[in-house]
Amino acid sequence: MKLLHTKAEVQSWSKNIKTQGSTICLVPTMGFFHAGHLALMKRAGEIADSVLVTLFVNPSQFAPGEDLSTYPRDFASDCRKAESVGVDALFCPEVDEMYPQVCQTSIRVKSLSHQLCGKTRPAHFDGVATVVAKLFNICGTDAAIFGEKDFQQLAVIKQMVADLNIPVAIHSLPIVREADGLAMSSRNSYLSVDERKQALCLSQGLRLGRELAASGVLDSRFIIEKITALCNSCAVTIDYIAIINMKTLENSLRVDGQALLAMAVMIGRTRLIDNGFLLTGD
Ligand code: AMP
């Protein structure tokens, strides 16, 4: 696996791949790899001839007071894990390499960025969209893959690519979970033993929502009330519990095949998200 630190190194690597007539799939990450990241990397290897992973904790998607300075990092372990799943190159730039001057340009995907996570993190998706566009331009990638765990991020990226005619095929992968249902996240490492138990309210809330929908309860407000009670019984602070249309991200009053349950909670100082379809068809 090649380690790339500068834009020039990535560009030369990418040019070499293209000269051979091969394709690239990009996997943007912030590192501290878990099985969810590794699943994305393996899938990327099925999509394209070469897999490029980027490891960059992007300051512009963190607000002051968020966990930028404490975000978990383990570069040596990340390198071993990425190599073990056949990643061809890992791009791990310093902040100055990505932002050599104060950035005057920002991408804002208007309608999708301000609800749900965007309410408490108003600049977050601008930071994400802008850095992803920069990475696409640096790498000249053919495809990129994102996790469905960050469903709003995925929606924002798809919209940006469509709006700006960016020639990158966007792929996604379902949420990879721990054995007890908790969605894998680098931020799970912040949780104490007790908080780790509280965090199960997310996957349990999703299960409860699915059980209610399967039993014919399709009124979103009722389902949200039940999941809210469950989360309150776990003593977490709810940011939002919403039932939304998967495409528009707007609230769905009644559950249908497009209805996604989306949740964000604070457990102590850790913010966790989860989501899933309520009518799963099984
Ligand atoms: P991050 O390093 O947290 O920014 O995530 C990098 C990519 O991995 C994003 O596309 C995430 O959506 C994806 N991802 C994170 N956690 C999971 C998970 N549990 N299952 C699948 N994909 C994930």
Side-chain angles (χ1 to χ4, degrees):
M1 184 177 75
K2 263 210 138 29
L3 273 185
L4 310 169
H5 298 278
T6 65
K7 298 182 288 268
E9 284 169 359
V10 176
Q11 275 153 355
S12 134
W13 177 85
S14 160
K15 194 171 163 198
N16 189 30
I17 303 277
K18 301 257 161 151
T19 312
Q20 296 165 25
S22 298
T23 53
I24 301 170
C25 185
L26 180 73
V27 188
T29 80
M30 298 203 300
F32 209 67
F33 296 151
H34 51 65
H37 293 114
L38 302 187
L40 289 177
M41 295 173 200
K42 285 187 210 158
R43 179 75 191 104
E46 295 163 2
I47 293 167
D49 304 312
S50 297
V51 176
L52 173 63
V53 173
T54 61
L55 194 174
F56 181 60
V57 183
N58 173 37
S60 74
Q61 67 191 67
F62 290 79
E66 290 187 345
D67 58 341
L68 174 62
S69 60
T70 53
Y71 197 81
R73 296 168 200 247
D74 188 342
F75 184 63
S77 161
D78 283 352
C79 287
R80 278 195 303 275
K81 288 178 179 170
E83 189 151 32
S84 77
V85 292
V87 168
D88 297 282
L90 183 66
F91 177 40
C92 40
E94 295 292 334
V95 172
D96 286 351
E97 180 66 15
M98 288 299 286
Y99 298 104
Q101 67 277 333
V102 178
C103 208
Q104 300 292 334
T105 310
S106 168
I107 296 182
R108 169 165 300 181
V109 179
K110 286 190 267 189
S111 65
L112 299 175
S113 296
H114 302 298
Q115 64 266 59
L116 303 163
C117 289
K119 280 199 180 140
T120 43
R121 309 186 75 194
H124 173 69
F125 292 109
D126 299 359
V128 169
T130 306
V131 81
V132 168
K134 281 164 78 72
L135 291 171
F136 285 177
N137 284 335
I138 293 166
C139 306
T141 191
D142 302 282
I145 184 160
F146 297 84
E148 290 164 17
K149 174 165 164 280
D150 297 274
F151 69 95
Q152 192 172 4
Q153 166 174 284
L154 179 62
V156 164
I157 302 294
K158 281 184 178 164
Q159 185 76 41
M160 172 184 81
V161 162
D163 287 348
L164 300 182
N165 306 100
I166 298 177
V168 175
I170 303 300
H171 297 260
S172 69
L173 202 78
I175 299 177
V176 177
R177 296 177 180 278
E178 303 284 358
D180 63 3
L182 180 66
M184 290 193 181
S185 165
S186 305
R187 290 190 168 100
N188 291 349
S189 64
Y190 295 145
L191 301 172
S192 68
V193 174
D194 285 343
E195 288 172 340
R196 175 69 181 70
K197 288 181 193 148
Q198 289 172 276
L200 287 178
C201 70
L202 289 166
S203 52
Q204 286 167 355
L206 182 55
R207 197 170 61 211
L208 174 60
R210 283 180 173 155
E211 282 166 6
L212 287 167
S215 72
V217 177
L218 300 176
D219 177 49
S220 297
R221 212 172 65 178
F222 183 85
I223 297 174
I224 291 169
E225 272 170 22
K226 293 287 175 202
I227 299 172
T228 301
L230 188 147
C231 288
N232 286 337
S233 74
C234 295
V236 303
T237 306
I238 298 167
D239 180 352
Y240 63 80
I241 298 174
I243 296 177
I244 53 168
N245 177 282
M246 61 169 285
K247 291 213 172 91
T248 62
L249 307 191
E250 277 163 12
N251 287 324
S252 289
L253 296 179
R254 264 181 93 71
V255 171
D256 59 21
Q258 308 261 301
L260 194 73
L261 172 69
M263 295 173 279
V265 298
M266 290 296 297
I267 303 171
R269 295 164 61 88
T270 307
R271 188 173 186 280
L272 296 181
I273 58 173
D274 200 349
N275 73 83
F277 287 106
L278 288 178
L279 288 175
T280 53
D282 43 40

